[in-house]
Amino acid sequence: MKHCPSMSVTGWSYIMAWVMMAVACLAANNISPVYNFICDDCPPGSKWHVPMNAVYALLYWILLTSVGAYLLMTWGNKYADASLVLAYTPLQPATSAIVSAILIAAGFKGKLREPGLNILGVIGIFIGLAFVVYDNRKTHKEKETEYLQVRNLGEKKDVAINNVLRDSKGQEASTVGDVDDDNSNI
């Protein structure tokens, strides 16, 4: 399989996602039963209306949690195992819950609500992440140890080959010297 640069894969993934989302959006807005199912409380004629208080949330969602997150994941895939990068994906809802709790505790006046018992899911996310990170480090150390053993074995073979070559050259020299000594006696 041909190796493709990670940025190209991400770019093509976004292009394909854009095409599929455009088709889904057009279908949802042009088929009335689908539109009514998605937004049953929307006023008529407001299919493309975005309230002003939602603009900042949309910008945050588009730029940071979508484009920014995928760029960071692409960058991470370049330098880490894909399984390790993927393991950090569940941190997004956990981070949202924790940041919401911090903002509420700091007195932020908005429409945020404190997380309920569902915040306990963060414990499972962190435990799972710890297992993945531990296994990744363990695997990395095993591979490094195996590499060092192979390298050391290769160095030992090189030393052994050099010793054999040196010994064989020394024996040839002594044999040639013996022949010369024998010829001098004649």
Side-chain angles (χ1 to χ4, degrees):
M1 185 170 141
K2 185 180 173 185
H3 178 71
C4 298
S6 56
M7 292 303 269
S8 296
V9 172
T10 302
W12 281 107
S13 298
Y14 266 104
I15 290 170
M16 292 306 298
W18 174 82
V19 169
M20 288 186 268
M21 287 300 294
V23 169
C25 182
L26 290 172
N29 281 296
N30 291 320
I31 301 172
S32 292
V34 175
Y35 176 75
N36 293 331
F37 175 75
I38 293 171
C39 187
D40 60 349
D41 62 343
C42 293
S46 65
K47 289 182 179 179
W48 293 98
H49 175 71
V50 176
M52 284 308 295
N53 60 356
V55 170
Y56 293 118
L58 280 173
L59 288 175
Y60 168 79
W61 188 260
I62 292 166
L63 296 177
L64 293 177
T65 64
S66 186
V67 175
Y70 280 105
L71 285 175
L72 288 172
M73 285 180 64
T74 302
W75 176 81
N77 276 325
K78 185 175 180 181
Y79 297 103
D81 292 337
S83 60
L84 184 63
V85 175
L86 185 62
Y88 280 91
T89 302
L91 283 180
Q92 184 178 352
T95 305
S96 289
I98 291 169
V99 169
S100 294
I102 291 170
L103 289 173
I104 291 168
F108 178 75
K109 304 293 183 202
K111 293 185 179 184
L112 295 175
R113 292 181 305 181
E114 289 185 8
L117 289 177
N118 57 354
I119 191 72
L120 296 177
V122 170
I123 296 169
I125 291 172
F126 284 119
I127 290 172
L129 183 60
F131 282 137
V132 171
V133 169
Y134 171 76
D135 183 61
N136 191 282
R137 283 187 180 170
K138 182 179 166 189
T139 304
H140 180 71
K141 284 183 182 180
E142 288 171 357
K143 285 181 182 178
E144 186 177 354
T145 302
E146 182 180 322
Y147 168 76
L148 291 175
Q149 288 173 347
V150 169
R151 192 176 95 194
N152 288 340
L153 181 64
E155 289 174 358
K156 287 179 183 177
K157 283 183 180 179
D158 289 344
V159 169
I161 290 170
N162 287 336
N163 288 339
V164 168
L165 290 174
R166 188 174 4 144
D167 290 346
S168 66
K169 286 180 183 178
Q171 287 176 355
E172 289 174 8
S174 64
T175 306
V176 171
D178 289 344
V179 171
D180 288 341
D181 288 342
D182 288 341
N183 287 339
S184 64
N185 290 338
I186 296 182

